[in-house]
């Protein structure tokens, strides 16, 4: 079950912590920079970030993510963490506003570092983040993925998403849309 780290009402949003007992999702921190850079590979660059990370670029992105948490902005970026030491295994983010989304929809994007793939962690993360999105008022979660990205395409149905439509990105890239209706009691 997803739980927040504290019931105290005036806690900052970036203190959100979600767990299913196997993985934990918590906002990205500056001390995640090294783990992210070490885990980044060709697949993450191609399917998620669009270019290799640099220390300065990753730190700037994490600061932007923290600002989004502090201001309840439309981006909520989480580290996917595993084990007692909460090793960073990848990232997952929600965008409550994005091109092509209707009101009430939230975009879900995720990526795991190579040594963590193939263990069902992305599916767990998508399920957890969907619960969180529902608790924040989202009505429908959307995963948009290029058809050639078989691993991400496979996560969607395992997390309860169904194929919906196909669109083209601004650069002409085909995107397959997977949708999942949300409610507070999502699985």
């Amino acid at each position: 079950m997803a739980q927040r780290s504290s019931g105290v009402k005036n806690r900052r949003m970036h203190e959100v912590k979600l767990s299913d007992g196997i993985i934990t999702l918590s906002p990205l921190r500056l001390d995640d920079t090294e783990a992210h850079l070490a885990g980044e590979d060709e697949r993450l660059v191609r399917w998620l970030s669009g270019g290799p990370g640099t220390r300065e670029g990753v730190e700037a992105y994490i600061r932007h993510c923290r600002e989004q948490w502090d201001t309840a902005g439309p981006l909520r970026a989480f580290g996917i963490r595993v084990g007692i030491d909460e090793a960073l295994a990848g990232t997952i983010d929600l965008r409550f506003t994005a091109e092509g989304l209707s009101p009430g929809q939230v975009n879900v994007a995720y990526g795991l570092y190579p040594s963590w793939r193939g263990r069902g962690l992305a599916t767990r993360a998508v399920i957890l983040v969907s619960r969180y999105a529902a608790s924040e008022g989202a009505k429908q979660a959307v995963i948009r993925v290029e058809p050639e990205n078989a691993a991400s395409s496979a996560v969607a149905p395992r997390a309860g998403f169904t194929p919906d439509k196909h669109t083209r990105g601004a650069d002409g890239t085909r995107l397959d849309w997977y949708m999942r209706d949300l409610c507070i009691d999502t699985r």
Side-chain angles (χ1 to χ4, degrees):
M1 168 167 239
Q3 295 189 5
R4 294 182 188 258
S5 61
S6 172
V8 178
K9 289 187 183 221
N10 291 327
R11 306 280 281 178
R12 296 184 126 185
M13 285 189 76
H14 64 73
E15 294 176 11
V16 170
K17 196 172 201 177
L18 313 170
S19 182
D20 67 359
I22 303 296
I23 65 165
T24 300
L25 303 181
S26 62
L28 290 170
R29 315 180 289 255
L30 280 174
D31 64 358
D32 291 328
T33 302
E34 284 301 320
H36 176 77
L37 290 168
E40 187 178 69
D41 70 343
E42 182 181 321
R43 287 170 60 184
L44 281 177
V45 168
R46 178 176 180 194
W47 304 118
L48 194 61
S49 63
T54 63
R55 171 175 295 290
E56 297 78 22
V58 171
E59 288 176 350
Y61 176 71
I62 291 172
R63 279 193 289 281
H64 172 71
C65 292
R66 300 297 285 193
E67 180 181 298
Q68 290 288 293
W69 280 104
D70 286 343
T71 63
L75 170 63
R76 311 287 165 79
F78 293 90
I80 301 170
R81 303 174 194 286
V82 180
I84 294 171
D85 62 345
E86 295 188 352
L88 188 66
T91 64
I92 187 164
D93 70 52
L94 295 172
R95 293 187 187 267
F96 287 88
T97 58
E99 183 178 338
L101 294 183
S102 299
Q105 289 182 325
V106 61
N107 191 77
V108 181
Y110 45 88
L112 290 173
Y113 306 129
S115 63
W116 296 101
R117 293 180 186 141
R119 302 181 192 191
L121 302 177
T123 300
R124 288 178 170 281
V126 169
I127 291 168
L128 273 175
V129 85
S130 294
R131 288 179 187 159
Y132 173 79
S135 75
E136 293 295 307
K139 303 297 181 212
Q140 191 173 54
V142 177
I143 294 174
R144 298 182 283 187
V145 62
E146 292 181 42
E148 296 82 17
N149 188 346
S152 284
S153 294
V155 167
R158 287 195 305 261
F161 287 69
T162 56
D164 186 73
K165 64 183 176 180
H166 312 286
T167 61
R168 297 249 176 228
D171 63 357
T173 303
R174 179 187 157 137
L175 297 173
D176 292 341
W177 287 47
Y178 296 86
M179 312 287 257
R180 179 176 175 188
D181 290 335
L182 301 177
C183 63
I184 297 299
D185 296 322
T186 59
R187 68 177 179 134

